[in-house]
């Protein structure tokens, strides 16, 4: 490797209001400017937007500074991956066509410089949360998405933004560490580790930057969010670690 790999998640652009979202978007663009000279690959690991739905001829307005910066980075040769989160699971092919990003629907298993990575936004994994897991199946169902797409954008966006207003991002709730044995994504990572070795399990969704050693050679990292922490992961070819921007 000659350049770093960067991981970031849970920007939740659009929440809780336009003014705060714009300030966060500006900060994210400053971060992208900061990492660009050393970036070989960029993994955006879900909930980049607090709501996103692609109609056939309509996409949500706004976020043009972020999209422009990502397009510039992609044009310069940086490979960008966009994971569907629980807030932007309705991403289809718009970003692939316009920017060239690769869209990832679930987990992605990669190997870089001899290190194996298990990557996922983190929603729907681990024990518990049966209600969301049921809703996830409905929201990801192609027929349900097609039916929602038949609703006029003015109405559909209004419904979705109303739903989004009750999210963790809108409530500004800060998460707390609940203990390694109760961190459901760490529990899930340990289950996967019993089947196959990975050097790193990387997730978002949890809204809390975490590094948990699972074994002598395997680590769980949650890359946190950008409402409170401005946290991200950086892999230099040897070690993946958490870092913070403008903190």
């Amino acid at each position: 490797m000659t350049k770093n790999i960067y991981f970031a998640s849970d920007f939740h652009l659009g929440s809780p209001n336009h003014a705060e979202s714009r300030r966060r978007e500006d900060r994210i663009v400053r971060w992208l400017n900061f990492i660009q000279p050393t970036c070989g690959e960029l993994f955006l690991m879900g909930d980049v937007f607090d709501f996103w739905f692609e109609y056939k001829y309509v996409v949500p307005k706004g976020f043009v500074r972020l999209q422009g910066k990502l397009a510039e980075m992609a044009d310069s040769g940086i490979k960008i991956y966009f994971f569907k989160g629980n807030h932007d699971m309705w991403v289809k092919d718009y970003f692939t066509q316009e920017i060239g990003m690769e869209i990832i629907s679930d987990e992605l298993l990669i190997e870089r410089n001899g290190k194996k990575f298990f990557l996922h936004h983190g929603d729907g994994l681990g024990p518990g949360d049966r209600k969301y897991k049921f809703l996830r199946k409905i929201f990801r169902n192609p027929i349900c998405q097609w039916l929602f797409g038949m609703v006029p954008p003015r109405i559909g966006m209004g419904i979705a933004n109303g739903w989004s207003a009750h999210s963790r991002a809108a409530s500004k709730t800060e998460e707390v560490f609940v203990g390694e044995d109760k961190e459901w994504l760490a529990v899930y990572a340990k289950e996967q580790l019993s089947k196959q070795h990975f050097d790193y399990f990387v997730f978002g969704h949890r809204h809390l930057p975490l590094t948990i050693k699972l074994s002598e050679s395997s680590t769980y990292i949650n890359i946190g969010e950008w409402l409170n922490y401005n946290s991200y992961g950086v892999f230099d070819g040897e070690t993946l670690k958490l870092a913070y921007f403008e903190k």
Side-chain angles (χ1 to χ4, degrees), residues 3-125:
K3 290 193 174 183
N4 296 337
I5 299 173
Y6 291 91
F7 305 84
S9 180
D10 293 270
F11 298 158
H12 286 279
L13 292 176
S15 178
N17 54 58
H18 181 266
E20 289 191 39
S21 176
R22 265 298 315 279
R23 286 193 291 271
R24 193 178 320 126
E25 182 181 14
D26 288 343
R27 186 166 66 249
I28 293 164
V29 171
R30 290 196 300 274
W31 172 68
L32 292 172
N33 285 326
F34 170 72
I35 69 169
Q36 185 170 355
T38 60
C39 181
E41 292 180 283
L42 173 63
F43 292 81
L44 300 176
M45 298 190 60
D47 287 358
V48 170
F49 307 102
D50 206 57
F51 170 72
W52 185 274
F53 188 89
E54 293 176 23
Y55 290 86
K56 186 174 182 179
Y57 299 111
V58 177
V59 296
K61 68 179 183 179
F63 322 121
V64 295
R65 290 159 184 81
L66 173 65
Q67 293 178 58
K69 183 60 191 179
L70 292 174
E72 176 196 327
M73 294 175 72
D75 289 346
S76 74
I78 296 172
K79 177 69 176 179
I80 305 176
Y81 302 81
F82 187 110
F83 285 68
K84 295 181 181 180
N86 49 304
H87 281 257
D88 45 21
M89 66 176 70
W90 304 277
V91 166
K92 296 179 182 177
D93 60 359
Y94 175 75
F95 292 126
T96 300
Q97 293 177 354
E98 296 298 322
I99 299 177
M101 293 194 291
E102 182 174 343
I103 307 302
I104 309 298
S105 293
D106 292 291
E107 71 272 7
L108 178 65
L109 313 181
I110 64 171
E111 184 172 341
R112 297 291 187 271
N113 217 39
K115 303 291 186 180
K116 294 183 178 180
F117 295 75
F118 184 106
L119 311 176
H120 194 289
H121 175 61
D123 62 314
L125 302 182

Side-chain angles (χ1 to χ4, degrees), residues 184-198:
W184 69 92
L185 288 175
V187 171
Y188 175 83
K190 289 179 180 179
E191 292 174 352
Q192 297 305 306
L193 191 60
S194 68
K195 305 172 186 175
Q196 182 179 354
H197 174 74
F198 291 96

